[in-house]
Amino acid sequence: MEEPYAKILALETFRVEQVYAAPKPKWTQLSGRKLQNWGGLPHPKGMVPEKLPAWLQSYAEKISSLGAFGGKLANHVLVNEYLPGQGIMPHEDGPLYFPTVTTISLGSHTLLDFYHPVSRGQHADSEQVPAPQTEEQRHFLSLLLEPRSLLVLQEDMYVRYLHGIQPTTSDTITEKVANVAACSTALGDELLRGTRVSLTIRHVPKVLKTAIFLGKGK
Ligand SMILES: O=C(O)CCC(=O)C(=O)O
Ligand SMILES: [Fe+2]
C-alpha cells in the first residue's frame, strides 16, 4: 500500500481545559455531539469571514507556519466535543477546505478510521462484481490520535478516502492502526475513551468580502 500522507506532530502544552476556559463559547449540537464553528460558515459561493478569537488565532498561525496550508494562513476552526460513545460518520471533507485538514486532539485519544469509498477501487483485481461492501470491509486503516497531537491530512488521505470515528467507548489497537510504533501503546491494548475535544483547523480559500453583505453603518 502507498504510504498515506498523514503527519502527526506533538503539541507540548495545549490542554483541553484551555478550550473550556475560553470566553464566549458558542456550542451547538449536531448528531449528539457539541461543536463550535469559528471563522465563518464555509459555503460553495464563499465564506463570509469572521475574526478568529486570539487563542485560536495563535494555533492557526503556528500550524500555518509549519507550511501545512502551502503558505496560506488557516482561517477556519471547527471544535468538536465527543463524549465516550460518540463518533462521526464516515465522510469526506469535500472541496470547501481542499487540500489540507489539520486536527488537534485534546482530552481523550481517539481512533480515526479510514474507508475506501463504496463504488470504486477496493476490488480492482477481482473479476466478479463485488458484493455490497460493509463498512467493516471498507475500513482499511486507522490512526491513533493521542492527546495534544496534531494531525496533518493531505493528498490521497484527503481526496480518495473517507474518514470517521466509531461511536464506541473503547478502542482496541489492531494491526490496522498504522502509527502504533510512534505511539505510547502496543498491539492488543484496549484504550478507554474519555471526553475528547478536537480542533479541526483549515484554510477556506474561497472567502467573500464582508462589506458586500453588511453595507455601511449601524
Ligand atoms: O474530530 C475529528 O478528529 C474529526 C472531525 C472531522 O472529521 C470533521 O470535522 O470533518
Ligand atoms: Fe472530516
Side-chain angles (χ1 to χ4, degrees):
M1 195 195 312
E2 308 147 38
E3 186 160 327
Y5 195 85
K7 250 193 254 176
I8 301 187
L9 306 165
L11 301 160
E12 301 301 327
T13 57
F14 199 13
R15 295 286 189 280
V16 69
E17 290 75 17
Q18 287 174 260
V19 178
Y20 288 120
K24 283 203 292 178
K26 303 180 287 186
W27 291 103
T28 55
Q29 203 90 26
L30 184 76
S31 323
R33 66 180 195 280
K34 287 200 306 186
L35 61 89
Q36 293 176 344
N37 184 81
W38 295 104
L41 279 180
H43 188 275
K45 289 195 172 148
M47 179 174 80
V48 179
E50 293 166 10
K51 207 168 161 346
L52 291 175
W55 65 280
L56 284 178
Q57 181 69 19
S58 72
Y59 284 98
E61 284 173 10
K62 273 184 205 168
I63 295 170
S64 306
S65 72
L66 300 172
F69 305 102
K72 304 273 171 32
L73 177 61
N75 57 358
H76 188 264
V77 183
L78 201 63
V79 181
N80 274 294
E81 182 200 70
Y82 303 84
L83 303 179
Q86 294 183 335
I88 186 167
M89 296 269 291
H91 65 279
E92 296 170 29
D93 282 7
L96 294 179
Y97 311 97
F98 177 79
T100 303
V101 50
T102 72
T103 306
I104 295 174
S105 292
L106 298 175
S108 176
H109 80 279
T110 202
L111 274 191
L112 186 65
D113 302 318
F114 290 86
Y115 300 86
H116 288 287
V118 182
S119 53
R120 66 189 154 97
Q122 69 269 39
H123 274 267
D125 52 355
S126 154
E127 308 131 47
Q128 300 295 319
V129 176
Q133 296 285 294
T134 64
E135 200 169 279
E136 199 180 324
Q137 287 168 324
R138 290 163 52 218
H139 170 217
F140 69 103
L141 180 148
S142 297
L143 292 173
L144 175 61
L145 305 185
E146 295 188 298
R148 291 183 306 286
S149 64
L150 169 70
L151 171 71
V152 180
L153 214 60
Q154 295 177 320
E155 299 181 9
D156 275 0
M157 299 299 278
Y158 189 113
V159 295
R160 258 179 96 160
Y161 306 120
L162 287 78
H163 57 272
I165 296 171
Q166 284 294 322
T168 184
T169 53
S170 75
D171 298 292
T172 305
I173 304 303
T174 68
E175 60 290 336
K176 280 190 183 170
V177 180
N179 63 327
V180 68
C183 296
S184 48
T185 184
L187 268 181
D189 282 357
E190 178 153 352
L191 306 180
L192 282 185
R193 283 200 199 160
T195 298
R196 170 172 176 267
V197 171
S198 71
L199 294 92
T200 303
I201 300 176
R202 299 182 266 214
H203 174 252
V204 176
K206 218 165 165 186
V207 161
L208 300 171
K209 299 242 181 333
T210 49
I212 297 171
F213 291 91
L214 299 180
K216 278 195 199 149
K218 206 180 170 276

